[in-house]
Amino acid sequence: MAVIFAMAGSAIGLGNIWRFPYILGEHGGSAFLIVYIAATLLLSLPVFVAEVTIGRRSRRSAYGAMAALESGRRWKIAGALSVFIPLFILCYYSVIGGWSLDFLFKSVTNQFIRQTSEEVTGLFGSFITSTWEPIIMHLAFLAICTAIIAKGVKSGIEKFSKYTIPVLFVLIVVMIVYSATLPGSMDGFRYLLDPDFSQLDAKTFVYALGQSFYSMSLGMGAIVTYGSYVKKKENIVATSVGTAISDMLFAILAGMAIMPAVFAAGMEPGAGPGLVFCSVPYIFSTMGAISPILSSLVAVLFFVAILAAAATSCISLQEVGVSYFVEHRGMTRKKAAWLLFAICGSLGVVCSLSFGPLSGVTLVGKNIFDLFDWFASNVLLLTLGFIVAVFVGFVMKKEDVKDEITNGGTNRATGWIFEVVYFLIKWVAPIGILGIFVTNFLI
Ligand code: PHE
């Protein structure tokens, strides 16, 4: 059971609260939600089971896991990919961590109280288009995470996040109930929950799967590494289903808190990465008209909880690279952590600037930040996810996979449950992922 909490802790992060609502808003609203749920159950869940299986069977972290089960240069390359991908994501994940840090300061100083929707949007707009503020916040956020990793005290922040995730859950529920009282909010619920298939297009599928992988921390070695800590008596399928459901639940609840506020404030659901940072302050602003103290309290708690979720994710992304340099390149922890701070921090600065001075630099209509995000979630994650599914489906022996998933035939995932899971891993996931991957380049 404890391992579900650890994996859910890795999965639940900015991906659910910040990324899910805006990707949903850009790619089909309620239709996106349905495709996202289907993609999670049919494609992401099998890959999740496959990653845990590889991790637990090999007892290695991502870099050496596949190569330990099957020799061959190609599995070493796949291992190297699983070190590279999280570091690539770290570059821009920490930019959003920086935004959250800035908004914590804004809520401590009561900047959201009694603002119109234009004013809260303007607050975000002037922050994001400025040069230094977002850069300083991004580097500050990354430096805090780096210091925690360098000291090797990440278990401290993980313990802290055990408390903040339930707090975040309660706050989101409070925000859903509250945003339902805002005039115009019902359109937001309808937008989210009343399926409108005319919104569906090829992009919906591509982005739904990318979001699902991103949110479940798949295709980047993180779950393989967690898998290596999963105890032999634990039921892999049950653990995976538990994590998938809690992750989806968090995303959907975040959408239910945010979309009604978006509509009540007259904002655009497809407004892009700033959506949460405009709509959530609007909630706090209108709450402030009723009780400024309550509003400030909820705002501060909300951003502290978001920051803790972001920090644990950031730390686990960075940790993959740090342990690689420590174990395979003989570096000290401290040196490895600060080296990655320098590399990812600098690339993150470029991502951060792409909302301001570098906003004119675009490729196929995407700025640098969007390109990083697109390349990571729609290309890199799907690539490694595909490799993992093929590895478990075709390279590992079926008896070995069965032995691992059913705990030697002793748990409830035997019989037809195993056959269904195995079929999903071997056929449905690789074919589905490949189809969606190719679609990426056709749209
Ligand atoms: N899944 C996390 C999120 O939703 C991101 C993450 C990926 C965290 C990989 C850790 C490792 O924010």
Side-chain angles (χ1 to χ4, degrees), residues 354-379:
S354 69
F355 293 97
L358 295 183
S359 60
V361 184
T362 59
L363 190 72
V364 291
K366 290 181 164 66
N367 66 21
I368 300 170
F369 180 96
D370 291 337
L371 286 171
F372 262 72
D373 188 40
W374 173 83
F375 187 61
S377 25
N378 292 11
V379 179

Side-chain angles (χ1 to χ4, degrees), residues 10-16 93 214-217 220 222 313 316-317:
S10 159
I12 295 165
L14 292 173
N16 308 60
Y93 199 88
Y214 186 100
S215 187
M216 284 174 70
S217 312
M220 48 183 126
S313 297
S316 58
L317 291 169

Side-chain angles (χ1 to χ4, degrees), residues 308-351:
T312 48
S313 297
C314 200
I315 288 168
S316 58
L317 291 169
Q318 198 172 354
E319 179 65 30
V320 186
V322 170
S323 42
Y324 168 77
F325 282 115
V326 171
E327 285 162 26
H328 300 276
R329 291 280 174 262
M331 258 185 214
T332 63
R333 246 192 119 65
K334 199 168 161 192
K335 200 164 166 198
W338 289 104
L339 173 73
L340 293 178
F341 170 82
I343 299 171
C344 299
S346 317
L347 288 168
V349 166
V350 182
C351 293

Side-chain angles (χ1 to χ4, degrees), residues 32 75 80 86 97 115 121 129 136 167 174 193 206 255 262 264 360 390:
F32 177 95
W75 306 122
Q115 302 266 314
T121 313
T129 50
I136 292 168
V167 169
V174 169
L193 302 173
V206 171
V262 167
V390 168

